[in-house]
Amino acid sequence: MKSKVAVIPCRGYDPEELVDKLGSGLSLIGGIDSILKPEEKIILKPNLVRTSAREKAVVTDPAVMEALIRILREQGCSHISCGDSCGFGTAEGTARESGLLDVLKRYDVPILDFHEPQKTDTKDGNSLMIARDVLNCDALISVSKMKTHALERITGAVKNQYGCISGIHKKLGHTQYPNAESFARMLIELNQIVSPRLYICDGITAMEGNGPTSGDPVDMDVLLISRDPIALDAVFCHLVYLDPTLVPTNLYGETLGLGTWREENLEILTPEGEMTVKELQKKYGNSRFRVDRKKNRTKGALDLLGVLDLFRKRPYIIEERCRKCGICVESCPVDQKAIRFENGRDHPPVYDYKKCIGCFCCQEMCPHQAISVKGHS
């Protein structure tokens, strides 16, 4: 069977239009009543990576969350909460900054900090410290933001569930899974455990360039909706002219049975009818979207260059933007810190690249867009 992905055009965040657009997208994949029962305990999982103003496109837009809550309420769902384990700060603080907290209070939806972990074994014998709230709910709905990502190239449906890892264990996870491949495999196992019923991606205003927190907002004017996160992320890739096979979560997702990225297995549904990938790109795509499209280097003679570390992506500080706040130092998961204030707090921190594992937590958590990645588009 093909995996259905609804692609719904939507310009802007008008609340009434969003309810109509989101509702039409849900209808295309079978309707909300085929996914949830009104009596179930539901948790909404937006992307609340860190505090940021709404217009920066760092977090899931509160208007999308409000539209979803309204649809669920109309369906008779009364046991709804919203939560995340933020990279820095609290879920409530992040929700307040973006305007989401006002929305949640208006609909009497509690905000949860996923701070209580429960050790959970994966099929491969690994263990993950997953928030107990997530494991105890009946249905999880993932509401991600369409953004670039320094490690995995994009962050969409699959990556959003990393916020289900509780508190400090998110930081520690980067030392356990230090490269794109191992991190991707862990994300697939995590998605299989928490098993969201529904995946929605806010791509109305997306982020390109130095994502997932320091990039630039760009209008993509789409909502993506699916029950298959790999298929959704593959459609995301096609919309920005990125080969889906360059995204490790797509490859591991299909290999491990989470979903499909293959074009022949995608059923792309729009209000105008089903579309092929080429038709989708012509109608809604953005070939100028700034994302890392470079193919992985081949093995052989280049292995030596890899050993010499010449092509490894590295974070670096844009000194004129740095405010010496120290959040990058605090965010570094390496025990002895790969970035620190070697020259005092009057000067920007300094990297020790011999210790750097390339997780880019520093870049992701910097609130001043002062860290970028060499080799990143």
Side-chain angles (χ1 to χ4, degrees):
M1 293 180 62
K2 291 186 176 183
S3 289
K4 296 180 179 181
V5 182
V7 180
I8 306 299
C10 189
R11 293 181 178 272
Y13 290 99
D14 177 78
E16 296 302 322
E17 183 180 8
L18 270 170
V19 171
D20 178 66
K21 296 284 189 178
L22 187 55
S24 67
L26 289 168
S27 296
L28 288 176
I29 66 168
I32 193 68
D33 56 344
S34 70
I35 300 170
L36 299 165
K37 296 179 181 178
E39 66 272 15
E40 289 186 299
K41 181 180 177 182
I42 301 166
I43 291 183
L44 310 181
K45 167 60 182 76
N47 184 325
L48 298 179
V49 57
R50 66 163 172 81
T51 55
S52 178
R54 177 183 182 183
E55 64 271 14
K56 297 291 186 181
V58 171
V59 301
T60 306
D61 196 272
V64 175
M65 298 296 292
E66 181 173 11
L68 176 58
I69 292 168
R70 285 179 58 180
I71 289 171
L72 293 175
R73 289 283 196 238
E74 291 170 5
Q75 193 66 22
C77 301
S78 57
H79 306 292
I80 306 172
S81 58
C82 175
D84 200 356
S85 177
C86 303
F88 196 85
T90 66
E92 182 172 338
T94 304
R96 180 182 291 109
E97 177 77 11
S98 69
L100 175 59
L101 191 61
D102 290 337
V103 170
L104 299 178
K105 288 181 176 180
R106 192 179 310 139
Y107 293 92
D108 196 26
V109 174
I111 183 78
L112 308 174
D113 260 312
F114 293 158
H115 57 75
E116 186 179 352
Q118 180 173 319
K119 186 177 181 180
T120 308
D121 294 331
T122 70
K123 293 179 181 178
D124 288 349
N126 299 316
S127 62
L128 299 171
M129 301 300 284
I130 300 175
R132 195 178 300 274
D133 287 322
V134 173
L135 295 174
N136 290 340
C137 77
D138 296 316
L140 183 69
I141 299 180
S142 176
V143 195
S144 59
K145 188 73 170 175
M146 180 185 284
K147 301 186 292 183
T148 52
H149 194 269
L151 187 64
E152 301 291 338
R153 298 182 191 251
I154 65 164
T155 171
V158 172
K159 174 65 173 57
N160 194 45
Q161 275 55 258
Y162 196 51
C164 294
I165 300 293
S166 183
I168 188 65
H169 300 286
K170 283 185 67 179
K171 182 190 290 189
L172 297 175
H174 284 287
T175 62
Q176 294 174 293
Y177 309 98
N179 56 56
E181 288 70 29
S182 62
F183 194 72
R185 189 179 182 95
M186 176 275 297
L187 287 172
I188 301 306
E189 293 178 326
L190 173 61
N191 274 265
Q192 289 174 323
I193 292 171
V194 302
S195 190
R197 295 274 188 88
L198 175 67
Y199 298 84
I200 299 168
C201 185
D202 168 18
I204 298 172
T205 301
M207 178 181 285
E208 64 178 354
N210 191 30
T213 61
S214 296
D216 301 307
V218 57
D219 292 334
M220 287 297 294
D221 298 327
V222 291
L223 287 169
L224 305 182
I225 308 166
S226 184
R227 300 192 68 176
D228 179 340
I230 307 302
L232 189 154
D233 283 350
V235 169
F236 171 3
C237 290
H238 288 304
L239 284 167
V240 300
Y241 289 78
L242 171 66
D243 182 351
T245 65
L246 295 178
V247 178
T249 51
N250 288 340
L251 295 179
Y252 281 110
E254 180 160 284
T255 301
L256 298 177
L258 181 62
T260 182
W261 57 264
R262 296 179 187 275
E263 186 174 337
E264 63 268 24
N265 294 332
L266 300 178
E267 187 176 352
I268 303 172
L269 305 172
T270 76
E272 301 160 291
E274 186 174 351
M275 286 188 177
T276 65
V277 164
K278 288 186 178 179
E279 290 169 339
L280 177 78
Q281 289 176 325
K282 183 177 180 179
K283 184 74 175 180
Y284 300 116
N286 179 1
S287 61
R288 296 184 300 276
F289 187 96
R290 289 185 292 119
V291 62
D292 183 6
R293 298 186 181 88
K294 296 186 295 294
K295 294 187 182 296
N296 295 325
R297 295 181 180 275
T298 58
K299 294 184 178 181
L302 289 177
D303 284 347
L304 177 59
L305 297 178
V307 171
L308 295 175
D309 220 20
L310 296 181
F311 293 109
R312 180 184 171 200
K313 286 184 178 180
R314 288 176 169 173
Y316 69 95
I317 293 175
I318 305 169
E319 293 194 6
E320 60 269 24
R321 294 182 184 176
C322 181
R323 300 187 186 179
K324 298 93 175 175
C325 65
I327 289 176
C328 56
V329 178
E330 186 176 340
S331 300
C332 179
V334 178
D335 283 342
Q336 296 181 351
K337 299 294 181 182
I339 181 171
R340 54 185 180 271
F341 287 102
E342 285 195 347
N343 303 312
R345 293 295 292 254
D346 293 334
H347 301 275
V350 176
Y351 281 101
D352 182 346
Y353 289 117
K354 291 181 180 179
K355 295 178 181 176
C356 180
I357 61 174
C359 65
F360 308 119
C361 288
C362 54
Q363 176 252 4
E364 188 168 338
M365 290 301 106
C366 176
H368 308 299
Q369 296 182 308
I371 300 179
S372 189
V373 178
K374 292 180 180 178
H376 194 273
S377 298

